Amino acid sequence: MDQSSAGPSSKSRLRRDVGLIGLTFISLGSIVGSGWLLGALTAARTAGPAAIVSWVLAAVLIAVLALIHTELGAAYPVSGGTARFPHFAFGTLSGFTSGWMAWIGTVAAAPIEVEASLQYLGNKIPGLMHVSDGTPVLTSKGIAAAAVLMLFFAIVNFLGVRWLARVNNVLVWVKIAVPLLTIGVLVAVSFHPSNFHAGGGFAPHGFSGVLKALPAGVVYALLGFEYAIQMGGEARNPRRDIPRAVIGAMLIGTALYLLLQIVFIGALNPASLVHGWSDPIAKGALGPYAGLATSLGLGWLAFVLYVDAFISPSGSALINVGASSRLSFGLSRNGYLPSAFGRVSGRGVPAFSIVFSFVVGMIVLLPFPSWQQLVGFITSAFVLMYAFAPVTLAALRRSDPDRVRPYRLAGSRILAPFGFIGANLVIYWSGWHTVSRLLLAVLLGFALLAVSQATASRSRQRMDWRASSWIAPWLTGMAVISYLGQFDGSNVIPFWWDIVVVALFSLAVFYLACSVALPGERVAAYVRDDEVVADVPHTDGQRDAATV
């Protein structure tokens, strides 16, 4: 009996236990993490009051990418979807590249959130952190505490996705309540409208400062919407719930962060802005809102903020452990990693992948024992992964037109190229130093793929070289533009013209990718094989149930 007739066995099938609220909170729980505690201060230092514009720009860019992911996630509801969607459209090499960057960003995001928790907790428990060259880093005691937290998150994931959703639901209520409380109290106690044109005006560093704030923490704060998509293989009704979960989480997260930035700027002491925005708050390392609360005599609020400074990042780390294991599960199912990563336990979770994510997360803590040392790289890794979605959507719309699409993105012919341009701009704005390290990580991934294919006991993967031929020019071109550009580069390309160059280059790559995408019969074969293993539920009725 062939695989398609046999159907998925209980040993290879994930358990579908997550409903709409659980999916929404999984995405929202990742979005509301250490970013809300650190993002407003970092953005204000970089852009001044114009940081508000940075948040709006980031929200628009990420929202477009989120809507694109929403259509893909609802149409192809499989676990580790960000690794598998490009595989459907462009084959093995593209799927691996996207999945590899998603996995790197996600597996490193768990320890970075744990570091943020311990950095704040270190203000109350001596010995967890020490300052090295002006940067708080974990001590050996802090690394041991991080190991305990990472192990706890792994155990919760081992208990099954239902337990993961339940624990995360509780944490998310806290993570939303505390920022809302902070907004209300600071507006009532201290709000100075004059601050929005103090310290050199609304945009003291010009539009360049607005753009620099995006990869410096603003975009990172809004990352995580796709985690409901990563859990698509464990959703009870993925075609209906994934679009609602992703869109709902993005709307709530964006509104929350924008209000927090406005309140933070308005609550600052005007006297601290006389000499600019380089240090608008005392004891900034303790967290902007806690520092504000202390200076305003609100000791009780400062205590609540310190507690939440532990809870919020920990909740995000919990989700990241789960998401990274689902990504390695998806990479295994596509044949990029050994089959052990694709096995599930009796509780219906990818057990080996969870263990591996825990181990790699602990390894990441050793050379990067500081939140500040990892955040820029993780942001760029995620955005590079996001950039695959717009070209994948355009390719699959053409090669798989009869697919049931419960959510269909209106205006995709405009929004998909725009999303690709936006993702490439964020990568460019992160600077040459980050882009160069990002490309080294991509090359390392290609080397691992080559070793995996050379030593594979099962049949080797078909690389689909032609369909992936756009990746090398894309990454090489971005490296050259970044090196010649204004952000940590050699300043050869003037400001504003660099944005035009990135946009035009992105459009050329976008249409090149669409022109070499896999034909419909090849896409159908990949999708069919994947759905047999994942046990994707099919929906009868109209092909396009929703359009936004």
Side-chain angles (χ1 to χ4, degrees), residues 127-183:
L128 293 179
M129 309 288 298
H130 74 278
V131 178
S132 176
D133 295 328
T135 301
V137 298
L138 294 173
T139 63
S140 56
K141 180 180 177 181
I143 291 176
V148 172
L149 283 174
M150 293 282 289
L151 180 61
F152 170 73
F153 301 145
I155 290 173
V156 173
N157 275 274
F158 262 118
L159 292 175
V161 71
R162 184 178 298 174
W163 272 87
L164 172 63
R166 286 174 178 172
V167 173
N168 183 66
N169 287 353
V170 175
L171 292 177
V172 170
W173 282 116
V174 176
K175 293 164 71 171
I176 295 175
V178 174
L180 289 177
L181 173 67
T182 303
I183 291 170

Side-chain angles (χ1 to χ4, degrees), residues 402-438:
D402 296 325
R403 183 73 178 181
V404 174
R405 287 178 168 85
Y407 169 82
R408 188 178 181 89
L409 177 62
S412 63
R413 291 186 178 182
I414 296 175
L415 292 179
F418 175 81
F420 189 66
I421 292 172
N424 284 328
L425 283 171
V426 172
I427 294 171
Y428 169 70
W429 292 328
S430 68
W432 164 244
H433 296 310
T434 299
V435 171
S436 61
R437 287 161 177 76
L438 192 65

Side-chain angles (χ1 to χ4, degrees), residues 232-376:
E234 293 150 279
R236 282 198 291 267
N237 193 338
R239 299 190 188 281
R240 182 197 68 187
D241 292 343
I242 286 178
R244 299 177 182 180
V246 172
I247 294 171
M250 271 300 302
L251 289 175
I252 296 171
T254 299
L256 192 63
Y257 278 120
L258 193 57
L259 286 173
L260 284 165
Q261 183 69 66
I262 293 172
V263 168
F264 173 73
I265 293 172
L268 292 170
N269 183 350
S272 66
L273 304 177
V274 172
H275 301 292
W277 291 85
S278 60
D279 191 16
I281 186 171
K283 299 181 180 179
L286 298 180
Y289 302 103
L292 278 174
T294 301
S295 66
L296 295 171
L298 302 172
W300 65 271
L301 180 59
F303 174 79
V304 171
L305 289 167
Y306 281 125
V307 173
D308 184 69
F310 176 74
I311 293 176
S312 289
S314 294
S316 296
L318 173 66
I319 297 304
N320 279 301
V321 170
S324 62
S325 64
R326 270 66 180 184
L327 279 167
S328 53
F329 173 88
L331 290 170
S332 175
R333 288 305 171 90
N334 280 339
Y336 308 142
L337 295 178
S339 58
F341 289 88
R343 296 177 188 148
V344 297
S345 69
R347 290 183 174 270
V349 297
F352 185 84
S353 290
I354 293 173
V355 173
F356 188 74
S357 294
F358 166 75
V359 172
V360 174
M362 288 306 305
I363 293 174
V364 167
L365 283 173
L366 297 179
F368 300 105
S370 166
W371 191 91
Q372 290 81 358
Q373 293 172 351
L374 262 179
V375 65

